[in-house]
Amino acid sequence: MTIHQTQPFDGQKPGTSGLRKKTQVFMQPKFLENFIQATFDAIGGAAGKTLVLGGDGRFFGAAAAQTILKMAAANGAARVIVGQGALLSTPAVSHMIRKRKTDGGLILSASHNPGGPNGDFGVKFNMSNGGPAPESITEAIYERTKTLDSYNILDVADVDLETLGTSDLGGMAVEVVDPVADYADLMETIFDFDAIRAMFAKGFRMRMDSMHAATGPYAVEILERRLGAAPGTVVHAEPLPDFGGMHPDPNPTWAKELMAEMMGPNAPDFGAASDGDGDRNMILGAGVYVSPSDSLAVIAANATLVRSFRDGLKGVARSMPTSMAADRVAQSLGIPHYETPTGWKFFGNLLDAGKCSLCGEESFGTGSDHVREKDGLWAILMWLNILAVRGETVAEIVSGHFRKFGRNYYSRHDYEALPKDVANALLADLAGRLDTLKGLSVEGMTVAGADEFSYHDPVDGSVSNHQGFRILFEGGSRIVLRLSGTGTEGATLRVYLEKYVAGPEGLERDAQEALKPVIAAVEKIVGIARATGRTAPDVIS
Ligand code: G16
């Protein structure tokens, strides 16, 4: 074992989902090593532990995996279970941690951020429950990065990660596993594969865009091999280090090809996309886009049609900026609903405590208690199972949902790469005026209240402050503003817009059109153009 002297790097503070930086930043000598040593130290050392290791196949992932294996061995770890070729989707890591009862796992991914030498890279630590490390651990990691003066690593040749089986690395077992099999088997226990297979056999057509990222091999195995979808159903199926130049973010802006096909003539019955590490999903029907918030609500309303939820949901949780559509379903089902800060880690306690079994976020994340991460393919299979049982189209199911529950028109407007001081000043200005907003009349709406969201975890009592600004209007419309915790350039301002329409009239409008007064109210109350000089968002989802 070699002990290397080092010095702390600034800015190794994990964000919404692990540490994300430009790939070049991660590739600086000792940058990755420092963060990994700090992580091992923060969890009480790696000695004697069994960990899972994998990632989304992005540039620098394979090299980083080698470094981490040599560091785990030098720190005395007992075993590392690693996906073949260092590939494992985020939900597959979560499942592997739980199935093999390991002490945790490391995921090498910057999720939906672009990859490659000029893209982004990231590292995330997950706990023994399979879920992202909570704030207490990420804070401990960050504190340790500030004082670190050495790290441990073996000075040995690289490990063969292509051949399945177990080898020895300085006394530590390295177990190379098939990344897909266990996860695909888990899906078979949750869903009615026979019903979905029968639907495909009758000619049901689907397009799955894996965006040259982690889900490709999983989607081909599950959809084409096990469920009998037509060969070629999965496109961009091969994981590539730079995602083939694609931006693996499954939303209408970045999944352009899929959007064009699904909105065009002769569209398939069902369309879906996933992100870099396979935890996000986008759902489409022929001619219809289902927003993530609506998808969560539809899944909640139809969950009992799926075998694993036959006895009902324990509760539903959503992140605060996610639309309130799922709350309406929970209320009608008479089950609890929870509102958490942005970040899948906040769902962990609720799931572990059995308080809820379905969670979702506006940021294209949906999942359940089968793992402790959001799970793109799980959400896609949930929809396929519901479609197979109901025998209706996506458009019919969504329209029927709106007729029953009303519609929460919803959109997110992102302003990317703003100067940090400009973004901070804008929000500080709003914070200073929050108390004065109540009663304000704007665009024909009246402000019912405004606050900064704080979360009190009902399981462990922890409090998370400063989780975004909310401006609520009478009648259920809402504006939420917060800064992204996953960007790697400047500050990304996210503006979440919502307007509730009870129906039966006005349920089938274009979302941007329906939200016009809310969008105008943002400018009047917050003044984004005034403060930033930007007159339009960079991404609308
Ligand atoms: C991560 C988190 C999500 C969060 C999303 C966006 O997703 O796991 O909980 O909603 O980032 O966060 P932000 O708005 O702070 O950028 P992923 O898929 O990037 O790991």
Side-chain angles (χ1 to χ4, degrees):
M1 194 242 307
T2 315
I3 301 174
H4 284 268
Q5 302 306 309
T6 190
Q7 286 186 335
F9 286 89
D10 282 341
Q12 290 200 323
K13 185 177 169 63
T16 309
S17 182
L19 186 68
R20 280 190 203 165
K21 298 281 175 193
K22 290 281 164 212
T23 309
Q24 299 295 337
V25 172
F26 253 108
M27 289 176 76
Q28 294 172 84
K30 303 188 177 180
F31 188 91
L32 172 71
E33 289 84 344
N34 273 24
F35 187 70
I36 296 299
Q37 188 65 52
T39 301
F40 288 158
D41 292 353
I43 59 167
K49 294 199 164 127
T50 296
L51 299 169
V52 176
L53 174 64
D56 60 11
R58 72 178 59 218
F59 182 81
F60 188 54
Q66 295 289 348
T67 300
I68 292 169
L69 286 169
K70 292 171 195 174
M71 288 186 67
N75 280 277
R79 174 179 291 263
V80 176
I81 302 163
V82 52
Q84 190 177 29
L87 190 91
L88 272 175
S89 75
T90 287
V93 170
S94 187
H95 176 52
M96 190 68 77
I97 291 172
R98 295 167 68 77
K99 181 175 179 212
R100 299 287 302 270
K101 300 190 171 37
T102 76
D103 299 289
L106 287 147
I107 303 172
L108 309 175
S109 168
S111 186
H112 56 290
N113 298 17
N118 299 317
D120 293 343
F121 192 75
V123 176
K124 195 165 81 148
F125 183 75
N126 280 29
M127 310 293 284
S128 59
N129 72 344
E135 278 187 333
S136 55
I137 298 290
T138 55
E139 277 302 316
I141 295 172
Y142 179 47
E143 286 307 314
R144 184 69 186 117
T145 65
K146 294 191 215 165
T147 58
L148 199 77
D149 57 10
S150 69
Y151 63 85
N152 306 332
I153 190 162
L154 290 191
D155 190 11
V156 291
D158 282 357
V159 186
D160 172 11
L161 295 182
E162 295 304 326
T163 311
L164 298 180
T166 304
S167 60
D168 176 79
L169 183 69
M172 180 184 87
V174 178
E175 183 182 341
V176 180
V177 296
D178 177 338
V180 175
D182 286 328
Y183 176 83
D185 291 348
L186 173 68
M187 293 301 115
E188 289 215 39
T189 68
I190 297 174
F191 300 105
D192 186 345
F193 270 39
D194 288 340
I196 303 173
R197 207 179 288 119
M199 180 171 71
F200 278 121
K202 278 191 233 140
F204 182 88
R205 289 189 305 133
M206 172 177 180
R207 176 72 62 233
M208 165 77 200
D209 192 341
S210 284
M211 303 186 96
H212 283 309
T215 54
Y218 296 85
V220 170
E221 171 66 21
I222 294 170
L223 299 173
E224 296 185 12
R225 295 210 189 97
R226 299 198 187 190
L227 289 170
T233 291
V234 185
V235 293
H236 304 126
E238 187 194 354
L240 295 174
D242 66 347
F243 306 121
M246 296 182 87
H247 184 156
D249 195 355
N251 64 38
T253 302
W254 293 115
K256 282 190 217 63
E257 255 179 64
L258 178 68
M259 281 301 284
E261 184 175 8
M262 295 306 299
M263 299 301 146
N266 194 28
D269 302 294
F270 184 59
S274 195
D275 70 330
D277 60 333
D279 56 3
R280 295 187 175 205
N281 73 91
M282 177 169 74
I283 299 295
L284 299 154
V288 49
Y289 160 71
V290 187
S291 81
S293 296
D294 287 337
S295 173
L296 176 68
V298 170
I299 288 176
N302 291 280
T304 52
L305 301 179
V306 175
R307 191 166 62 208
S308 57
F309 295 119
R310 198 165 289 149
D311 297 333
L313 296 170
K314 294 172 186 153
V316 180
R318 61 164 175 85
S319 67
M320 182 275 282
T322 304
S323 98
M324 296 181 276
D327 302 9
R328 295 182 185 280
V329 177
Q331 279 153 5
S332 97
L333 293 173
I335 57 172
H337 57 95
Y338 301 89
E339 184 175 45
T340 61
T342 294
W344 203 263
K345 59 191 170 204
F346 292 102
F347 294 133
N349 278 348
L350 297 173
L351 292 166
D352 284 347
K355 288 185 175 294
C356 76
S357 37
L358 176 66
C359 311
E361 294 188 282
E362 51 67 39
S363 55
F364 297 82
T366 329
S368 84
D369 49 8
H370 67 291
V371 289
R372 291 295 180 274
E373 284 278 5
K374 55 190 187 278
D375 188 342
L377 275 167
W378 174 89
I380 291 162
L381 288 164
M382 199 73 196
W383 268 91
L384 282 171
N385 202 150
I386 291 167
L387 288 163
V389 174
R390 289 191 48 169
E392 291 169 88
T393 65
V394 174
E396 286 164 350
I397 289 176
V398 171
S399 297
H401 186 92
F402 293 157
R403 282 198 301 278
K404 180 163 180 195
F405 295 99
R407 178 168 180 184
N408 291 68
Y409 282 101
Y410 187 83
S411 182
R412 187 177 98 187
H413 289 192
D414 291 339
Y415 297 80
E416 296 181 339
L418 292 170
K420 280 188 181 162
D421 53 342
V422 170
N424 287 332
L426 177 131
L427 291 182
D429 171 62
L430 175 66
R433 291 185 290 117
L434 278 182
D435 291 345
T436 67
L437 297 179
K438 190 168 177 197
L440 189 76
S441 174
V442 52
E443 296 292 323
M445 306 178 297
T446 304
V447 176
D451 65 3
E452 191 177 14
F453 181 57
S454 284
Y455 180 58
H456 296 251
D457 187 306
V459 180
D460 67 12
S462 61
V463 178
S464 300
N465 292 317
H466 310 301
Q467 298 296 330
F469 297 98
R470 304 190 283 195
I471 303 167
L472 304 157
F473 295 94
E474 285 170 10
S477 294
R478 191 172 74 140
I479 298 167
V480 173
L481 292 102
R482 59 179 282 280
L483 295 182
S484 159
T486 58
T488 57
E489 215 179 317
T492 295
L493 175 67
R494 302 208 194 283
V495 184
Y496 309 84
L497 308 146
E498 181 170 355
K499 179 184 163 78
Y500 179 66
V501 175
E505 301 303 318
L507 295 174
E508 303 288 341
R509 295 175 68 192
D510 171 72
Q512 300 304 319
E513 195 55 39
L515 286 165
K516 265 193 176 152
V518 186
I519 295 168
V522 174
E523 204 40 51
K524 291 207 171 126
I525 298 174
V526 186
I528 295 175
R530 219 168 35 240
T532 68
R534 303 276 184 90
T535 50
D538 298 289
V539 178
I540 294 179
S541 56

